[in-house]
Amino acid sequence: MSFFSGMIIGMSIGIGMIVAYARYQNLRSSRRSKLAYTVAAFARMTVEDSRKLLPAEFYPSWVVFSQSQKVTWLNLQLEKIWPYVDEAASEVIRSSVEPILEQYRPAILSSLKFSKLTLGTVAPQFTGISILEEGGEPGSVTMEMEMQWDGNPNIVLDINTRVGVALPIQVKNIAFTGVFRLIFKPLVEEFPGFGAISYSLRQKKKLDFTLKVIGGELSAIPGISDAIEETIRDAIEDSIMWPVRKIVAIVPGDYSDLEVKPVGTLEVKLVQAKELTNKDVIGKSDPFAVLFVRPLRDRMKTSKTIDNQLNPVWNEHFEFPVEDPLTQHLTIRIFDDEGVQAAELIGCAQVALRQLEPGKVKDVWLKLVKDLEIQRDTKNRGRVHLELLYCPYGTKSRSKSAFSPDIELDKGIKAGTNEANDNAPTISTSQKAVSTRGVLTVIVVAAENLPVVDLMGKADPFVVLKMKKSDKKVKTKVIYENLNPVWNQTFDFLIEDALHDMLIAEVWDHDTFGKEKIGSCLMTLTRVVSEGQVQESFPLDGAKSGKLVLHLKWKPQI
């Protein structure tokens, strides 16, 4: 009897608990719905709505609404603490920048150190503050602050030259405008809510300064001024310019994961340029290109010089480590080689790495401009043709690429890129790029909208195909009296080095007593090697109109 009584009591208690739990869950769900509705209502609130709920007199003096009031308050506080900031910052600059100055010290100097370093009595002025809602790192708060400084620092560099001359050089008339990025990460539960602060110079809008020898003239030693100025700019770029970041620990812990590390490799093929501005009085320009992701001397790449040519073809390959593909850019500058004189800039261009799809080749034509910042120049300076491939580390596989034959994904990190060799993942041999020896099949499909070249109002076109590095040349049959000819003829080429070879296709008009060139197109083999086959319409250079339709196939051979 006691057994049945206990069972009934137990079942009653169990059912009661189930009912109670169900009611609790319903109540909890109702509370969640109300809370979600309240949060959504607060999210829709404007500043004016919040002022109606809580008037300004109830806020502390440092809590303000407008952007200008925030900046004004911050500048007032900075002026108050500037003497202490000056002392601390001067010591940090001395300890962190001096080794980098030594690293980039030009060969003409035997030593380069600070003898005096104070930032003066004039505090910087913040002109804008913003919190990044998008593009920030997960689990962090990212703030950007625009700052300008026309200070009165006392900075003296003691330099010693190889010829035994000692010079105290003063850095004067510093004018700086830039945007600093502060990253509060990681967010923690203990005060003040974050474990460390990372800071860096996100954008350098302006940096001007002059160098003066104390008690002498800097021009007494030719080239010394330019060498020191370049060294200072390199030191700034390598010590604080984004994506490099300085880390200040607030809560004790290991924050090595916040340090800048390469996360991938950018492969660039500099193909050609067209219609470059002629900078020479006699003859034509002798163009060469300088490419970089970060403007450091050991990371900048220079192409060969093409003499006397306004439509140069380079077909050269370069690699760059990438630290932050969301914010970094590839910059290219085209110069005219002036021999012993300084090279003259023809034009420059830039492409954002965030525009690239990882593992996929992007073919781009960039318009050259005089200045990347102002861009008020409307003069035609020419165009440059690039092929770009961004390869992140840690991917399970790598797309086939004619950029780097038989090279592993992480091989692009070489000496001078800090800890990249230790952090980049290793790639198995099965993930190596495809060999660039193989058979290229070219199907000449058709041509479209060819210009009229015959007196009778049409043309008799045929196509000549040839590889840039070999002597093999083939041609199609002639299609008489047709401006939209269809050939559908197939040709095979044995390619030994697809990385450096190019296909040249020329469209000619056949005449009884000769032939006349209508136009041509030049193409690398990058895409066909990467994708296996490509069919595309190529515009004809040198023709008023017209396109050539080609179908390319690639069969690798080991």
Side-chain angles (χ1 to χ4, degrees):
M1 189 70 180
S2 58
F3 170 75
F4 288 105
S5 299
M7 184 177 67
I8 293 172
I9 293 172
M11 291 177 61
S12 301
I13 294 174
I15 294 172
M17 291 180 65
I18 293 173
V19 172
Y21 179 75
R23 293 190 63 183
Y24 170 75
Q25 287 294 100
N26 291 334
L27 180 61
R28 187 180 181 189
S29 177
S30 176
R31 288 176 177 175
R32 284 182 174 178
S33 299
K34 292 179 179 179
L35 179 60
Y37 178 80
T38 304
V39 170
F42 272 106
R44 291 192 296 268
M45 284 179 58
T46 64
V47 173
E48 293 300 326
D49 294 332
S50 63
R51 286 176 175 171
K52 293 176 183 178
L53 289 175
L54 191 60
E57 59 265 23
F58 292 98
Y59 287 94
S61 60
W62 52 271
V63 178
V64 290
F65 283 104
S66 70
Q67 176 79 356
S68 60
Q69 288 176 312
K70 292 178 182 178
V71 173
T72 301
W73 178 85
L74 184 60
N75 287 330
L76 287 174
Q77 306 312 310
L78 182 58
E79 288 179 3
K80 293 178 183 179
I81 65 172
W82 178 247
Y84 309 99
V85 173
D86 174 26
E87 183 177 354
S90 298
E91 185 58 35
V92 170
I93 293 172
R94 182 189 294 272
S95 61
S96 61
V97 175
E98 207 167 65
I100 299 177
L101 286 174
E102 186 65 21
Q103 175 186 346
Y104 288 104
R105 173 174 51 83
I108 193 173
L109 304 181
S110 60
S111 67
L112 178 61
K113 295 183 178 180
F114 291 109
S115 63
K116 294 182 180 180
L117 176 56
T118 61
L119 301 181
T121 59
V122 179
Q125 293 290 305
F126 291 102
T127 57
I129 304 174
S130 64
I131 302 293
L132 296 187
E133 300 293 341
E134 298 180 1
E137 299 183 11
S140 68
V141 175
T142 303
M143 175 186 296
E144 289 196 343
M145 310 174 71
E146 184 173 5
M147 186 189 81
Q148 65 180 24
W149 185 45
D150 295 305
N152 57 346
N154 185 12
I155 302 176
V156 178
L157 291 166
D158 275 349
I159 69 170
N160 290 288
T161 66
R162 297 289 184 184
V163 295
V165 178
L167 297 173
I169 294 180
Q170 187 175 18
V171 183
K172 300 181 61 178
N173 303 325
I174 296 179
F176 170 79
T177 303
V179 178
F180 279 89
R181 173 172 286 190
L182 304 178
I183 302 175
F184 301 87
K185 183 181 180 180
L187 303 180
V188 297
E189 294 182 355
E190 55 188 299
F191 183 82
F194 49 89
I197 302 176
S198 304
Y199 66 92
S200 64
L201 181 58
R202 173 68 179 84
Q203 185 179 5
K204 183 175 59 181
K205 294 184 176 181
K206 177 184 178 183
L207 177 60
D208 294 328
F209 56 87
T210 57
L211 303 175
K212 186 180 187 309
V213 174
I214 299 176
E217 288 293 333
L218 196 59
S219 58
I221 304 179
I224 193 80
S225 177
D226 291 341
I228 295 175
E229 181 175 334
E230 186 177 5
T231 300
I232 292 174
R233 294 183 184 276
D234 281 346
I236 293 172
E237 183 73 32
D238 201 12
S239 62
I240 197 173
M241 191 70 190
W242 180 267
V244 173
R245 61 193 75 174
K246 297 295 182 180
I247 302 168
V248 179
I250 304 299
V251 177
D254 180 15
Y255 302 109
S256 58
D257 60 317
L258 301 180
E259 297 175 356
V260 61
K261 300 179 180 69
V263 296
T265 300
L266 175 67
E267 301 190 45
V268 180
K269 180 171 285 187
L270 172 63
V271 182
Q272 60 181 321
K274 290 183 181 179
E275 302 171 358
L276 296 180
T277 300
N278 191 7
K279 294 291 184 178
D280 291 349
V281 178
I282 301 176
K284 298 178 181 179
S285 296
D286 307 314
F288 69 93
V290 176
L291 304 94
F292 58 87
V293 174
R294 294 185 60 198
L296 298 171
R297 277 179 279 180
D298 60 344
R299 291 201 187 186
M300 300 173 76
K301 310 295 184 181
T302 303
S303 75
K304 61 187 177 185
T305 299
I306 307 296
D307 295 329
N308 198 38
Q309 182 60 257
L310 299 181
N311 296 284
V313 176
W314 289 285
N315 198 33
E316 294 187 60
H317 169 255
F318 306 98
E319 290 186 2
F320 303 92
V322 175
E323 290 85 6
D324 186 3
L326 294 179
T327 62
Q328 289 184 290
H329 298 74
L330 172 72
T331 301
I332 178 170
R333 296 173 180 165
I334 308 294
F335 293 90
D336 175 28
D337 190 351
E338 299 289 351
V340 295
Q341 299 180 4
E344 186 175 1
L345 179 67
I346 296 177
C348 53
Q350 198 173 70
V351 58
L353 302 191
R354 64 176 178 271
Q355 299 176 1
L356 307 182
E357 182 180 343
K360 186 173 182 179
V361 177
K362 184 177 181 66
D363 189 285
V364 295
W365 280 92
L366 302 177
K367 180 182 178 182
L368 297 176
V369 296
K370 182 179 181 180
D371 185 275
L372 292 172
E373 296 295 333
I374 302 176
Q375 296 190 2
R376 294 176 182 172
D377 181 33
T378 58
K379 180 180 178 181
N380 180 26
R381 297 176 175 272
R383 299 178 297 149
V384 61
H385 183 196
L386 303 174
E387 291 178 340
L388 308 173
L389 175 64
Y390 172 58
C391 301
Y393 298 141
T395 52
K396 293 183 179 180
S397 62
R398 177 180 180 172
S399 66
K400 297 177 181 179
S401 169
F403 281 106
S404 304
D406 302 320
I407 297 177
E408 294 187 11
L409 181 58
D410 60 340
K411 82 101 189 173
I413 305 302
K414 304 183 178 73
T417 56
N418 302 326
E419 69 276 17
N421 283 320
D422 298 328
N423 293 288
T426 57
I427 306 297
S428 65
T429 54
S430 63
Q431 291 174 280
K432 293 183 179 181
V434 66
S435 170
T436 56
R437 185 180 188 274
V439 175
L440 175 67
T441 299
V442 182
I443 303 174
V444 183
V445 181
E448 302 171 350
N449 195 27
L450 295 178
V452 175
V453 292
D454 287 347
L455 296 177
M456 301 301 295
K458 291 188 178 180
D460 306 318
F462 67 96
V463 178
V464 176
L465 300 177
K466 53 186 177 182
M467 302 305 301
K468 188 175 178 62
K469 295 190 65 174
S470 68
D471 296 329
K472 183 175 181 180
K473 183 187 298 186
V474 296
K475 66 179 181 178
T476 67
K477 60 186 177 182
V478 178
I479 305 295
Y480 291 97
E481 297 186 4
N482 201 322
L483 300 181
N484 294 280
V486 176
W487 289 282
N488 281 325
Q489 288 186 251
T490 302
F491 305 93
D492 289 331
F493 296 90
L494 178 62
I495 307 299
E496 296 293 337
D497 182 8
L499 175 64
H500 298 102
D501 216 340
M502 304 181 82
L503 173 65
I504 303 171
E506 300 174 340
V507 180
W508 293 80
D509 175 46
H510 175 77
D511 289 326
T512 304
F513 301 102
K515 58 183 180 179
E516 179 182 356
K517 187 176 180 179
I518 297 176
S520 63
C521 52
L522 179 72
M523 62 211 77
T524 69
L525 307 184
T526 306
R527 280 190 60 198
V528 66
V529 173
S530 301
E531 301 176 15
Q533 60 178 324
V534 174
Q535 180 165 328
E536 192 170 333
S537 297
F538 298 92
L540 293 176
D541 292 332
K544 295 180 180 178
S545 63
K547 293 183 178 181
L548 182 63
V549 182
L550 300 177
H551 187 182
L552 310 179
K553 297 180 181 180
W554 175 256
K555 184 178 181 181
Q557 293 184 348
I558 306 301

